[in-house]
Amino acid sequence: MQLRMALAGNPNAGKTTLFNQLTGARQHVGNYPGITVEYKEGFLRHAGTAITLVDLPGTYSMTAYSAEELVARDYLVNERPQVVINIVDASNLERNLYLTCQLLELGVPLVIALNMVDVAKSRGIEIKADILATLLRVPVVPIIARSGFGTKELLEACIATAREESTWDPRDLSYGEDLDTTINELVALIGTAGLMSDLYPPRYTAIKYLENDDQILVKGRQSDPDTAKKLEGIVSLSTEHCQRTLDVYPEAIIADHRYGYIKSILRQGVVSHAFDTDRLYTSDKIDKVLTNRLVGPLVMLLILFTLYSFTFTWSEAPVAWLEALFARLSDLIDGLLPDGLFKSMLISGVIDGVGGVLGFVPLIMFMFFGIAVLEDSGYLARVAFMMDRVFRIFGLHGSSVMPFIVSGGIAGGCAVPGVMATRTLRSPKERMATLLTVPFMNCGAKLPVLALLIGAFFSDNKARYMFLFTMLAWVVALLAAKLLRSTVLRGAPTPFVMELPPYRFPTLRGLFIHTWERTYQYIKKAGTVILGISVLLWALMTFPGLSVEEQAVFQGQREQLLNASQPAAAPVTVEGERKAAEVDPEEDMDASLGLRLAVIDNAEQEAALRNSLAGRFGTALESVSRLAGFDWRTNIALVGGFAAKEVIVSTLGTAYSMGEVSLEEAEPLTRRLQKDPNWNRVVAVAALVFIMFYAPCFVTVVCIARESSWKWAFFSMTFNTFMAFAMAVGVYQVGMFFNLG
Amino acid sequence: MLAKGWKKKGCCSLTRERNCLQGQCCHGAPLSEQIRTGRVRVCKVTGDRKVCARMASMGLYPGVEADVICPERGSRCLLKVNGGTISLDPEVSQNILVTCL
């Protein structure tokens, strides 16, 4: 038997936790509403039944007020799952049953999963699931999604419901005399015309017309314009009547009656309270302090700074170990393999490229762990609440905070889910402004670049500089948003209403899963995409190489040098002399001969790199990029960074490992940059500013195009790049003028 | 089948307050002007139609009782209603009229 089941419920009710528990998946779960913005599928098998489980986005209602609600409703009516598990937060039953009412009205085969019964119990709330099941006429199963308690019984109830194979059975609620009369009139009209009857029950369509549901109104007009016009006429009269007599819209009356229905159910012995229901819980008491307008922002800054200190202090040693490990590996391969293209590709393309990215895994891991603590505890939602005040000034919305944080607001996120998280914004202009500015945040891919350049040029106060650059990302993103909202995206702000989840103690298992799932993505990307791009860029930096004539010039220089140092000797070979100089420096030979030969080698390799396809491109850009202090090698890395930002570190690693002078051992990139005459503190800051704000990576651009249009994706690339370059030029010119390098 | 049984219990606050509203007797002050924490009753919700509907779906509608957790006069507000904590911006708070209990 093959079953298709869907998980529906309020945001933060535990849908994804249950989904992960049942399917063994590791979908991201957070103590923050709106984590799931599109549905996800998982598979499980129970008692010989293969089940496809779909995790729908959290919704408060089945009316199209936001994108998540549309996704959830469209899935239910189009895919028609055999069972819908409505996950209900037992500690907040009344509000959660509001959605249940609408699912009952839609007529879906329903099973209620009464989640977090343990939390409800700790708050003195006792729920009689059997009475609730009798009154609602659907199975109700108490569960604890976190621990898996009750999930077996839940699956059995679901399979039993599915086996009944009953047709959808819409439940009718009464909405008072006035509205019921209108609804009956609408139902008659809808029934006669068969308007959208393949998707929705007539009464449900009628209620959505009264609730002014945009999607239903548009669909109605498209499928039967005449009937739709008549329906809208009736609704308009009814709305006018409600406004005149009660000063409310029909949807307020509908909501009031639904809550009335819920209260009447709950008062029939379903819920009993051991404590005073009016009391405030610990979570509310903490909120009184942590969201205070004066104390709150101070605590927030302190927490974020602590996160950076923790990350940099604890990751310093493991990052150094990994760096040394890759340097040793490089030396090992250098000693084992004969010179040639394969060795060059392994050392310059694979080890310096991928190793440069993997070297930052400990830092990424510590940062993700810190973010997981903030998210799972529920504090991130409070950050959104406090930041809303600031965001308003810049024409953004409180709901923009989460996309910013997901994209790397606390450094270490990813712009792709950040762009997708903008779906929670209702206003198209605020959404577009958010969507275009979230790539300014310091995502996990930019983190290695930040760590590399800060480590190389500002190693004294790494955490402080990291914090400063994160703040800079926020400031620039907000100013860019203000610019966009005052010009191309001008429009009125929309209200901010968001539910704050209760504070919860994060579980160690949850923290490790979150940290690992994000770190694994980073490692996987380094081993696949970054590896491919690194090898490709190595090829672009290697071919076509020098012509025979050019090679002969360098060969001539070497021979000239050798002849000058040993005029009387028998015919000498360059390799033989180099080995002699390296192996036995105490000999009669000039001690610096080896070094001078290496300098010629370096000049040859630099000429080869410059002559390569990537080198030619980097050199062509140099006349412009010099204004910001970037040499042609940096240009190659920056262009490569468009594919993926991690590539910047790997390409710098490759570009600066080609033509290395050191005779002893491979040096870490940090030291190579410190030694390079083209790099100094001012160039480092200019480069950081450019990297932080120029065109988003390719995947993000595609995502922006998918979420808006290619026109906006192209705008994002050009606007960001020009703005970033102007800022980098400003930083470099001012810095050099005051001789700060 | 119409689930009408509950109506007899008088749970519909709009029905209960209909006369009061018709008589324009909501003497509440905007939530944004609330300066103390404590329990309030929502007596009217005005403003954008979709926002009112969304708030209703989150449990904030005329007649409901709520706890003000973090009042910031003239600014945003944290409100505990039906077991959930809702954050509201200044414009929304301005449009919710409440009376202290």
Side-chain angles (χ1 to χ4, degrees), chain A residues 8-170:
Chain A
N10 279 190
N12 228 35
K15 290 177 298 304
T16 310
T17 309
L18 180 62
F19 179 82
N20 288 349
Q21 184 67 246
L22 292 177
T23 62
R26 284 180 185 167
Q27 291 296 345
H28 188 82
V29 185
N31 193 12
Y32 190 98
I35 290 284
T36 312
V37 274
E38 55 184 9
Y39 67 82
K40 294 174 185 114
E41 276 189 346
F43 305 94
L44 71 141
R45 185 167 269 281
H46 183 80
T49 310
I51 300 170
T52 304
L53 190 63
V54 178
D55 181 22
L56 297 176
T59 59
Y60 292 105
S61 72
M62 279 281 125
T63 309
Y65 297 134
S66 69
E68 305 100 293
E69 285 163 0
L70 272 179
V71 169
R73 188 173 69 187
D74 283 350
Y75 181 85
L76 293 180
V77 297
N78 294 327
E79 303 297 326
R80 303 231 152 203
Q82 282 122 312
V83 181
V84 176
I85 303 175
N86 176 206
I87 186 152
V88 164
D89 178 355
S91 63
N92 191 357
L93 197 55
E94 192 173 324
R95 225 272 321 288
N96 277 249
L97 286 178
Y98 187 82
L99 179 70
T100 313
C101 283
Q102 295 180 67
L103 291 169
L104 290 170
E105 283 183 302
L106 190 58
V108 296
L110 202 64
V111 173
I112 294 176
L114 199 59
N115 191 22
M116 296 188 243
V117 280
D118 52 338
V119 178
K121 202 172 178 185
S122 69
R123 292 184 176 185
I125 304 167
E126 200 190 329
I127 299 166
K128 298 268 191 304
D130 49 340
I131 303 178
L132 184 62
T134 310
L135 292 170
L136 289 176
R137 287 184 283 132
V138 291
V140 178
V141 184
I143 64 159
I144 303 169
R146 268 183 165 199
S147 67
F149 166 82
T151 48
K152 192 172 161 238
E153 291 79 4
L154 177 69
L155 285 175
E156 273 156 16
C158 291
I159 293 168
T161 305
R163 282 204 178 121
E164 286 171 16
E165 290 182 359
S166 51
T167 52
W168 282 31
D169 175 25

Side-chain angles (χ1 to χ4, degrees), chain A residues 538-689:
Chain A
W538 166 84
L540 290 173
M541 283 188 268
T542 304
F543 298 105
L546 291 175
S547 63
V548 179
E549 292 79 23
E550 286 166 320
Q551 283 178 14
V553 172
F554 286 104
Q555 186 65 16
Q557 285 177 6
R558 281 189 205 102
E559 279 165 12
Q560 204 180 357
L561 182 67
L562 289 169
N563 290 336
S565 62
Q566 282 189 332
V572 286
T573 62
V574 174
E575 279 308 306
E577 287 304 324
R578 194 202 309 277
K579 274 174 189 159
E582 286 170 17
V583 170
D584 193 5
E586 302 299 318
E587 289 286 310
D588 212 21
M589 187 188 253
D590 183 0
S592 66
L593 179 62
L595 189 64
R596 280 191 279 163
L597 282 171
V599 170
I600 295 173
D601 286 353
N602 181 34
E604 184 181 7
Q605 287 194 26
E606 188 177 320
L609 184 58
R610 232 183 219 283
N611 192 48
S612 68
L613 288 170
R616 286 178 202 176
F617 190 67
T619 310
L621 290 176
E622 205 175 19
S623 57
V624 181
S625 68
R626 270 286 170 206
L627 291 171
F630 307 152
D631 68 346
W632 58 279
R633 290 187 213 226
T634 313
N635 289 347
I636 300 172
L638 295 177
V639 173
F642 176 67
K645 298 285 187 237
E646 295 95 329
V647 171
I648 296 172
V649 171
S650 59
T651 313
L652 282 174
T654 309
Y656 282 89
S657 72
M658 285 176 158
E660 198 178 355
V661 182
S662 174
L663 291 174
E664 289 94 29
E665 56 178 25
E667 284 186 312
L669 181 58
T670 321
R671 224 168 298 149
R672 285 182 222 156
L673 291 179
Q674 282 168 342
K675 281 184 182 173
D676 195 276
N678 285 313
W679 282 87
N680 58 42
R681 284 185 158 209
V682 175
V683 177
V685 175
L688 279 176
V689 165

Side-chain angles (χ1 to χ4, degrees), chain A residues 65 92 94-95 172 214 245-247 251 256 259 263-264 284 385 388-389 392 495-496 498-500, chain B residues 1 3 6 12-14 22 44 49-50 53 56-57 59 61 72 76 78 80 82 85 87 89 92:
Chain A
Y65 297 134
N92 191 357
E94 192 173 324
R95 225 272 321 288
D172 295 348
D214 288 338
T245 55
L246 286 169
D247 196 20
E251 52 266 35
D256 184 52
Y259 276 109
K263 281 195 176 100
S264 74
D284 308 319
F385 170 69
D388 174 59
R389 192 182 303 154
R392 297 224 141 237
F496 173 65
M498 188 179 89
E499 190 186 2
L500 299 185
Chain B
M1 189 191 83
W6 58 274
C12 175
S13 53
L14 268 174
Q22 278 176 320
K44 195 174 179 183
R49 185 174 177 178
K50 283 203 157 42
S57 70
Y61 56 92
E72 293 184 8
R76 63 217 60 251
L78 275 189
K80 193 173 172 68
N82 281 330
T85 307
S87 63
D89 72 11
V92 177

Side-chain angles (χ1 to χ4, degrees), chain A residues 60-61 65-66 69 92 94-95 98 137 172-174 176 178 203 210 212 214 239 245-247 249-253 255-257 259-261 263-264 267-268 278 280-281 284 287-288 291-293 385 388-389 392 426 494-500, chain B residues 1-4 6-7 9 11-15 18 21-22 24 37 39 44-45 47-51 53-62 64 67-70 72-73 75-78 80-92:
Chain A
Y60 292 105
S61 72
Y65 297 134
S66 69
E69 285 163 0
N92 191 357
E94 192 173 324
R95 225 272 321 288
Y98 187 82
R137 287 184 283 132
D172 295 348
L173 301 187
S174 170
D178 294 347
R203 190 177 165 85
L210 274 171
N212 195 36
D214 288 338
T239 306
T245 55
L246 286 169
D247 196 20
Y249 288 108
E251 52 266 35
I253 302 175
D256 184 52
H257 279 76
Y259 276 109
Y261 171 67
K263 281 195 176 100
S264 74
R267 284 178 190 172
Q268 291 179 56
D278 293 349
L280 293 179
Y281 300 107
D284 308 319
D287 269 336
K288 279 187 177 179
T291 60
N292 181 282
R293 69 187 309 178
F385 170 69
D388 174 59
R389 192 182 303 154
R392 297 224 141 237
R426 276 182 51 226
T494 51
F496 173 65
V497 181
M498 188 179 89
E499 190 186 2
L500 299 185
Chain B
M1 189 191 83
L2 291 177
K4 278 183 174 169
W6 58 274
K7 274 189 80 181
K9 298 177 189 295
C11 289
C12 175
S13 53
L14 268 174
T15 313
R18 177 189 283 241
L21 285 167
Q22 278 176 320
Q24 302 291 307
T37 55
R39 205 154 177 81
K44 195 174 179 183
V45 182
D48 178 71
R49 185 174 177 178
K50 283 203 157 42
V51 178
R54 188 165 173 74
M55 282 194 294
S57 70
M58 293 172 92
L60 195 68
Y61 56 92
V64 82
D67 283 297
V68 180
I69 292 179
C70 192
E72 293 184 8
R73 194 172 184 165
S75 187
R76 63 217 60 251
C77 169
L78 275 189
K80 193 173 172 68
V81 59
N82 281 330
T85 307
I86 301 173
S87 63
L88 306 166
D89 72 11
E91 288 77 24
V92 177

Side-chain angles (χ1 to χ4, degrees), chain A residues 440-502:
Chain A
F440 289 142
M441 295 290 106
N442 291 328
C443 63
K446 290 180 197 167
L447 210 54
V449 193
L450 285 162
L452 172 80
L453 295 179
I454 290 171
F457 297 98
F458 306 97
S459 54
D460 300 341
N461 289 302
K462 281 194 258 185
R464 198 182 299 167
Y465 278 100
M466 192 68 199
F467 186 71
L468 275 177
F469 278 108
T470 306
M471 289 296 120
L472 179 70
W474 279 91
V475 170
V476 171
L478 291 176
L479 288 175
K482 183 70 181 170
L483 179 71
L484 291 168
R485 292 282 283 141
S486 316
T487 52
V488 285
L489 294 171
R490 205 177 300 160
T494 51
F496 173 65
V497 181
M498 188 179 89
E499 190 186 2
L500 299 185

